[in-house]
Amino acid sequence: MSFEGQVAFITGGVTGIGLGVAQAFSDAGLRLAISYRNEDHRAQTAAWFAAKGREQPLFIKLDVTDRAAFAEAAAQVEAHFGAVHVLVNNAGVSVFGPTDEASYADYDWIMGVNFGGVVNGVVSFLPKLKAAAGRRHVVNVASMAAFLPGPQAGIYTASKFAVRGLTESLRYNLAPHGIGCSLCCPALTRTNAWDSALKRPAEFGDSGFAPADRAELEQFGTAFEAGMDPYEVGTKILAGMERGDGLILTHPEFAEDFREIYEKSLAALPQEEAPPERLAIENLRRAANAAAAAGTVIGLGDLT
C-alpha cells in the first residue's frame, strides 16, 4: 500500500531536508501541509510547486516550541484536508560549542527545538493520525549524532539521542494502532543548517559559548557543500516508510563507526554469569517488545 493521496505535515518543510522530503512526497502523490518560519523560503517553495503544476501545500507559520500554536496547526491541517496521515518532525537547530561551558540558555534552546519540537508534534498530531483511516506513519528526523557524539556537539547530540530513544519506544505504542514509526538519522546533507547559531532568539541570548563568528561558521558551512542532496534524503525517507522500516539510515559511510560501537559495547559487558532470576526478567522484556512490535498492547504486568 502506497501513501499516494495521503496527507502529510512536515515541520521545517521549506528548506534543507524538510524541503527534500516535501518534494519527494509531492512526487509520490501525497498532499502536503508544511510549517515554516521565513517568508522568503516559503515563497521559494511555493514557486517550486507552481512550476511543477502541483497542488500548493498548506503553509503554516510555526515556531515548533510553541505548544499552543502546534495544537492549532494540527487542527488547521485536519480542518483543511479532513484527515492527517503522516507526520514528519524535521525542524531543528545545529548549534555547537564545548558542553562544559554551556549555559542553561544553551540547553533550553537546543533541547527545546530539537527534542521539544518533536514532543510537540507527537502530542499535537497523534490524535489526528489515530482518528484517520488508511496508511499512517510518523517520521522523527534526528541525525547520525543520535549514535555518534563529538566534542563540539554535546547538547545537539543529547537532543538527537533523546529523539532516538523516544522514537524507538513510540514505535511499540503505535503498532497496535496500525501506525508506522521511523527514526531517520541523516548525515552530511547539502543544507544551510550551519547558520543556526546566527539565528539565536533573544530570550536564549545568555550563552556559555563564544559569540557566533560568521566567518568561522561560513568556513564550517563549506563542508555541507559535499553533502547529499536533500531530495535524495527525502526519497530514502519515503522508501523507508513504504517498507515500514523502523530505522532509516540515508548515508552509507558509517559501517566503521557502527562496528566500533558494537565491539565496544560487547567488550564492556562483564564476563560473568547472570543469575537466572535476572535472565528471566530480561527474557520477559524481549518477549514483550516482540509482541508490541507485532501489535499487542503491553502493560507493566507483562514485564514481571
Side-chain angles (χ1 to χ4, degrees):
M1 183 189 303
S2 76
F3 286 91
E4 184 176 3
Q6 305 293 73
V7 175
F9 179 73
I10 306 166
T11 62
V14 295
T15 60
I17 289 174
L19 177 57
V21 172
Q23 292 171 333
F25 280 14
S26 177
D27 285 348
L30 281 82
R31 306 178 71 195
L32 303 178
I34 296 174
S35 85
Y36 73 99
R37 296 293 300 274
N38 181 285
E39 290 292 345
D40 289 339
H41 294 156
R42 183 205 62 77
Q44 292 164 8
T45 301
W48 183 89
F49 279 87
K52 293 285 186 178
R54 305 275 174 79
E55 176 186 6
Q56 283 289 325
L58 172 65
F59 291 103
I60 300 176
K61 195 163 191 176
L62 176 67
D63 175 350
V64 297
T65 67
D66 186 333
R67 290 177 173 173
F70 222 132
E72 176 56 34
Q76 188 177 346
V77 176
E78 185 179 50
H80 183 85
F81 291 104
V84 191
H85 306 92
V86 177
L87 168 66
V88 180
N89 285 309
N90 161 77
V93 291
S94 297
V95 181
F96 306 105
T99 314
D100 61 310
E101 298 177 7
S103 67
Y104 284 124
D106 295 317
Y107 281 94
D108 290 344
W109 179 34
I110 300 167
M111 293 297 296
V113 175
N114 291 356
F115 181 63
V118 172
V119 170
N120 294 343
V122 166
V123 172
S124 297
F125 273 88
L126 276 186
K128 312 300 183 186
L129 268 67
K130 289 178 178 178
R135 193 166 188 187
R136 293 152 296 157
H137 208 96
V138 174
V139 178
N140 291 332
V141 179
S143 162
M144 282 305 299
F147 295 94
L148 305 176
Q152 282 286 312
I155 306 175
Y156 179 81
T157 298
S159 71
K160 300 305 182 178
F161 266 67
V163 172
R164 174 186 166 194
L166 172 66
T167 309
E168 292 185 353
S169 296
L170 182 63
R171 186 179 311 127
Y172 295 122
N173 302 123
L174 295 183
H177 299 279
I179 301 174
C181 186
S182 300
L183 170 71
C184 178
C185 295
L188 193 61
T189 304
R190 199 155 56 247
T191 71
N192 63 346
W194 57 268
D195 71 352
S196 294
L198 299 174
K199 304 172 183 176
R200 189 182 187 104
E203 61 266 34
F204 300 110
D206 185 20
S207 176
F209 301 148
D213 183 316
R214 174 174 284 277
E216 183 179 49
L217 288 171
E218 287 178 349
Q219 174 58 38
F220 178 59
T222 61
F224 287 72
E225 296 171 8
M228 182 177 287
D229 188 300
Y231 180 79
E232 182 178 352
V233 176
T235 61
K236 290 179 175 179
I237 288 174
L238 179 61
M241 288 168 51
E242 290 176 337
R243 291 190 301 265
D245 294 346
L247 177 62
I248 301 172
L249 299 179
T250 55
H251 291 57
E253 53 262 37
F254 295 95
E256 178 181 348
D257 299 283
F258 280 104
R259 188 174 297 110
E260 181 179 1
I261 292 169
Y262 169 75
E263 291 174 352
K264 284 186 174 180
S265 298
L266 283 182
L269 291 171
Q271 299 302 306
E272 61 192 46
E273 292 293 326
E277 297 82 3
R278 294 209 313 255
L279 289 173
I281 294 297
E282 297 310 324
N283 284 333
L284 282 173
R285 173 186 57 79
R286 295 183 184 105
N289 284 356
T296 300
V297 176
I298 299 298
L300 287 178
D302 298 302
L303 302 177
T304 55

